[in-house]
Amino acid sequence: MEYILIIISAIFVNNIVLAKFLGICPFLGVSSKVETSLGMAGAVTFVITIATIATYLIMHFILKPLGIGYMQTVAYILVIAALVQMVEIILKKVSPSLYQALGVFLPLITTNCAILGVAILVIQNDYNLLESVVFAVANAIGFALALVVFAGIRESLDLVDLPKGMKGAPIALVVAGILALAFMGFAGIV
Amino acid sequence: MNQVTNFTKGFVKENPVFVLLLGMCPALGTTTSALNGLGMGLATTFVLVMANLVISLVKNQIPAKVRIPSFIVVIASFVTMVDLSMAGFLPALHEQLGLFIPLIVVNCLVLGRAEAFASKNNVGSSVIDGIGMGLGFAFGLTLLGAVREVLGSGKVFGMQIFSDTYAMLVFVLAPGAFIALGYLIAIMNRFAKKN
């Protein structure tokens, strides 16, 4: 039950993009086509899960026993950067087809605040390892959902006749706002 | 480039929030009021200036291959300083900004300026660039915060502007952030096109 609650809350009620404002850059940047946004979503799901496990272990077995919890930000960002690099190298060797699909998105992920945000939130919420993994995966699904829905809308936005000033980022932001408004309808179910 | 244009470019022509669209996460997430926006903007400015200063000092010692991780470590150190001092001296603001303080480290604006400017220019111009860009970012955040605060609760910096029964809560909540920023950029575009 507890896990279902975490999952529903992370996907719908506190959607990572539309309610928590994490990962806005890829949300606005790569969401102009459904296909690319699926690739980005896949890469993020992959990295967010591994990164959350790695940072969780580092926090509880290295930083906390040594009493240097304040090094959290520095340690986490280094781990995430190294991890992304590693995933990229391994994928290239092991599965070239997957690398082809996710490759271009991987370097961008280091500065995706969703990854670092989830890693920090897990510690703030005092989750255990299993809860952390569930939380990470659920947030990744929430990210994917927001990204793909938004990309679908943007594909048809291209055909709309807009005033000059509203073209590009402004209309994307307004649409994102309306999407966020729709997601607010989920508030209260958990 | 002379130092004056170097300093002022961050405010209008290359404003990080309205033109470059960098650092969108804190721009949307922390601007529930003008004061929060200003606080976040100044915190980012500090990190930006210090990171630009240090990176332009050590740019010749860092091998090109490991420059991005090195930049990130420098930035993360200053972010940790801001995080700890804000928790100590301004606990209320720290509580409000929460997660977004450690997330300054992944703000594309900070790494972007380090890579695009500080790693290629001397110390003086880098610091000026940091101050200009940082204040431009703070200006954008404060403006967005003020718009959301006045539309959402009828106040600016806590001062009552509209009658106290006025409230349009959606502008303080998440959707209002997107919509307000979208229209602000549209207005900026309109003026930019005119000139």
Side-chain angles (χ1 to χ4, degrees):
Chain A
M1 191 59 212
E2 213 174 297
Y3 296 113
I4 297 173
L5 221 62
I6 292 179
I7 292 171
I8 293 184
S9 147
I11 298 178
F12 295 111
V13 183
N14 292 313
N15 185 282
I16 188 158
V17 180
L18 297 167
K20 288 205 211 108
F21 301 113
L22 298 176
I24 302 280
C25 298
F27 179 67
L28 292 175
V30 297
S31 64
S32 43
K33 281 208 183 84
V34 173
E35 209 170 299
T36 42
S37 61
L38 275 174
M40 186 69 187
V44 165
T45 311
F46 197 58
V47 174
I48 217 170
T49 314
I50 305 175
T52 306
I53 298 171
T55 49
Y56 181 91
L57 295 176
I58 284 174
M59 188 67 187
H60 287 275
F61 292 103
I62 299 178
L63 296 184
K64 272 200 180 148
L66 291 176
I68 49 170
Y70 56 84
M71 289 298 283
Q72 194 191 35
T73 314
V74 181
Y76 275 26
I77 192 68
L78 269 184
V79 169
I80 292 171
L83 210 63
V84 171
Q85 199 93 59
M86 212 172 71
V87 167
E88 203 181 337
I89 295 169
I90 293 175
L91 266 191
K92 210 174 187 175
K93 270 261 184 269
V94 177
S95 165
S97 58
L98 193 60
Y99 178 77
Q100 280 287 316
L102 306 182
V104 281
F105 302 110
L106 283 173
L108 290 175
I109 286 182
T110 315
T111 54
N112 180 343
C113 38
I115 313 283
L116 185 60
V118 168
I120 295 175
L121 277 175
V122 156
I123 303 298
Q124 276 181 3
N125 293 352
D126 251 338
Y127 287 146
N128 62 36
L129 186 56
L130 188 60
E131 282 170 339
S132 305
V133 174
V134 172
F135 183 74
V137 174
N139 268 308
I141 296 172
F143 179 77
L145 180 70
L147 206 65
V148 172
V149 169
F150 191 54
I153 300 175
R154 273 184 101 176
E155 276 188 352
S156 22
L157 260 185
D158 288 342
L159 308 169
V160 179
D161 192 23
L162 284 167
K164 246 187 201 155
M166 287 298 282
K167 268 186 191 144
I171 189 68
L173 282 163
V174 173
V175 169
I178 296 169
L179 201 57
L181 209 55
F183 268 76
M184 268 178 72
F186 291 114
I189 55 174
V190 177
Chain B
M1 193 194 312
N2 73 49
Q3 299 296 13
V4 180
T5 42
N6 186 13
F7 178 70
T8 53
K9 68 175 187 287
F11 284 87
V12 186
K13 225 175 88 207
E14 289 181 31
N15 188 289
V17 182
F18 299 121
V19 182
L20 300 181
L21 302 181
L22 290 174
M24 285 286 105
C25 301
L28 293 164
T30 62
T31 50
T32 47
S33 71
L35 197 63
N36 288 351
L38 185 64
M40 185 68 208
L42 292 182
T44 311
T45 306
F46 173 77
V47 174
L48 195 54
V49 173
M50 296 311 285
N52 265 6
L53 172 74
V54 171
I55 288 166
S56 62
L57 279 174
V58 297
K59 64 176 182 286
N60 294 329
Q61 272 79 49
I62 299 176
K65 269 191 179 162
V66 293
R67 70 178 191 287
I68 300 285
S70 326
F71 293 170
I72 290 181
V73 174
V74 171
I75 295 168
S77 320
F78 286 113
V79 170
T80 306
M81 278 181 216
V82 170
D83 194 12
L84 293 176
S85 14
M86 205 180 251
F89 296 112
L90 300 163
L93 186 64
H94 187 263
E95 181 87 0
Q96 287 276 318
L97 301 179
L99 188 59
F100 285 99
I101 294 289
L103 287 182
I104 295 176
V105 90
V106 284
N107 187 330
C108 343
L109 173 65
V110 182
L111 191 61
R113 291 327 285 176
E115 167 74 4
F117 200 93
S119 65
K120 296 187 187 98
N121 287 280
N122 62 33
V123 180
S125 335
S126 297
V127 170
I128 290 171
D129 173 78
I131 298 174
M133 276 291 173
L135 290 181
F137 186 67
F139 161 72
L141 255 60
T142 313
L143 183 63
L144 181 59
V147 168
R148 286 180 67 189
E149 200 181 356
V150 89
L151 289 175
S153 55
K155 298 176 190 167
V156 171
F157 285 107
M159 274 184 309
Q160 203 78 42
I161 304 280
F162 299 154
S163 82
D164 53 4
T165 50
Y166 173 89
M168 194 153 52
L169 202 59
V170 69
F171 277 98
V172 181
L173 297 173
F178 289 107
I179 296 172
L181 183 59
Y183 278 104
L184 276 179
I185 295 174
I187 294 168
M188 294 275 169
N189 281 349
R190 177 95 179 84
F191 284 112
K193 294 265 154 60
K194 250 185 186 167
N195 293 333

